Amino acid sequence: MKGLYCKVGETAAEAKFVIQETVSNVPSALGSNQVKVQVKACALSPLDLKLHEDLKFQKDLVPVGREIVGIVLQVGPKVTFFQPDDEVVGKCYSDFCVRSPVQKPEKLRWVEVAGAIRDGLRAYTALHTLARMASGHTLLVLDGASPFGVLAIQLAHSHGVKVLASALSSEDHKFLEQLRPSVGVRESLVARVIGVWDAKVDLVDSCLEETGGLGVDIVIDSGVRLHEEEPEARCLLPYKHDIITLLGVGGHWVTTEQNLQLDPPDSRSLFLKAASLSFLNEEVWGASSARQGRYLHIMKDIVEKLSTGTLRPQLEDPVPLYDATVSMEMVQKNQVRKRLVIQL
């Protein structure tokens, strides 16, 4: 049995990805409430080594590809919801998973489910848990063509939310304009695509124009531009002042920017709007056993919406495990947004 790992260096740039045997890591006996799962497919997403260190997950070898689907091989004596040969979805740390799986409908493909686990969980956390999304709200999704952005748009639209989305390139712009709830439906999922790649387009003006000057109810960012001089990849990110300006009264700003700092004028603006700021970190679901019931409910709902076609992740052709190291390096360097690995 083999697994994909990140060999941690002194800096993030020195991290290397390797495939190695995992037999020694597999427990010899299951606990009473554990389930052993053989992985059939997993998704590769950027690995946040600093977050792993902060959450005390840090090891010399960090498991990669934790969003998995597979087949149950063995169950503990107190497990009643699963039987051997069941197809399940869950979070994993190597070839075998023993943590909080849910049933996978037979009609869903392995890669389809693996590609939606992390981004679906992030979308639910942002929209339901943090922003308290409701029908009639207006939502702005920044970088709407990202794997996370697409699922957030689909989830919000299914709840009667008006969706605006920013596009970082002309290709993303065209993709978002053609995004539909299902095949054959003419209505677009996105009410307005804002092409921030075009220097003539202003994000704030576009949002205020679309909302009659009221501002949006929810903003989900893909990062925030913190300084004038930023790497090219971050130049299209909005400034924090822009997001606060386009936010409506009582609005919710959900940020993925870990290093965000608010100056007193920024806090004052949020106070005057009675607006809130939340940090999106989907890893928090594993930080407390008291949250496991809610986590399992979300996972089941993600799988159900995949089954009905409400959520439809944008998938690329999967790669075999022996190509996973190169694929993960590309993902970590943001050269590609996501990769899927399938066990042959």
Side-chain angles (χ1 to χ4, degrees), residues 46-326:
L47 188 63
D48 189 337
L49 295 175
K50 181 65 169 63
L51 178 62
H52 277 247
E53 182 180 0
D54 291 340
L55 296 178
K56 311 302 181 184
F57 291 161
Q58 189 68 294
K59 303 176 182 178
D60 292 336
L61 290 174
V62 178
V64 178
R66 294 169 49 207
E67 305 95 44
I68 66 96
V69 289
I71 298 174
V72 174
L73 295 180
Q74 184 182 354
V75 299
K78 292 186 179 180
V79 174
T80 58
F81 290 103
F82 303 105
Q83 299 294 329
D85 296 327
D86 283 349
E87 297 180 353
V88 295
V89 184
K91 284 275 195 173
C92 171
Y93 292 92
S94 61
D95 267 340
F96 288 86
C97 173
V98 291
R99 176 184 169 191
S100 303
V102 297
Q103 292 277 3
K104 180 188 82 69
E106 291 185 3
K107 70 176 184 178
L108 292 177
R109 295 179 298 145
W110 299 115
V111 294
E112 185 177 5
V113 182
I117 296 173
R118 178 176 183 266
D119 295 316
L121 182 60
R122 297 184 81 212
Y124 266 82
T125 304
L127 292 172
H128 285 293
T129 307
L130 301 178
R132 304 295 183 184
M133 169 183 66
S135 178
H137 278 167
T138 301
L139 164 70
L140 171 63
V141 180
L142 296 168
D143 191 10
S146 66
F148 165 60
V150 169
L151 291 190
I153 289 169
Q154 294 169 346
L155 180 62
H157 185 271
S158 71
H159 284 76
V161 173
K162 179 181 179 180
V163 182
L164 315 179
S166 72
L168 304 186
S169 67
S170 57
E171 293 79 9
D172 287 352
H173 196 121
K174 183 177 180 180
F175 167 78
L176 289 170
E177 287 184 332
Q178 297 175 345
L179 201 57
R180 299 290 185 269
S182 60
V183 178
V185 177
R186 298 185 62 183
E187 176 195 11
S188 175
L189 284 172
V190 183
R192 180 167 180 171
V193 181
I194 304 169
V196 296
W197 54 274
D198 187 344
K200 299 178 182 178
V201 175
D202 186 273
L203 177 66
V204 175
D205 290 345
S206 298
C207 290
L208 294 179
E209 177 185 343
E210 189 65 32
T211 59
L214 298 177
V216 301
D217 299 294
I218 304 169
V219 177
I220 303 177
D221 69 39
S222 58
V224 177
R225 189 170 179 178
L226 302 176
H227 311 287
E228 288 289 342
E229 298 296 329
E230 291 271 20
E232 183 178 354
R234 294 178 59 88
C235 286
L236 295 180
L237 295 177
Y239 289 103
K240 57 186 176 182
H241 176 73
D242 295 335
I243 296 179
I244 294 172
T245 302
L246 60 82
L247 197 62
V249 172
H252 301 276
W253 174 12
V254 180
T255 183
T256 61
E257 184 59 61
Q258 300 179 25
N259 299 316
L260 180 68
Q261 296 182 14
L262 295 183
D263 299 320
D266 301 324
S267 298
R268 180 66 179 173
S269 296
L270 289 172
F271 167 77
L272 292 173
K273 293 184 176 185
S276 67
L277 169 64
S278 301
F279 290 86
L280 178 57
N281 173 20
E282 73 281 359
E283 295 291 346
V284 76
W285 291 107
S288 171
S289 59
R291 311 286 289 182
Q292 287 304 293
R294 178 64 175 163
Y295 165 78
L296 288 172
H297 174 78
I298 291 174
M299 292 292 288
K300 289 178 181 179
D301 206 40
I302 291 171
V303 172
E304 179 181 342
K305 282 183 167 53
L306 286 170
S307 183
T308 60
T310 302
L311 297 180
R312 291 172 290 110
Q314 305 302 305
L315 304 175
E316 298 184 6
D317 291 335
V319 299
L321 180 60
Y322 57 78
D323 283 340
T325 53
V326 175

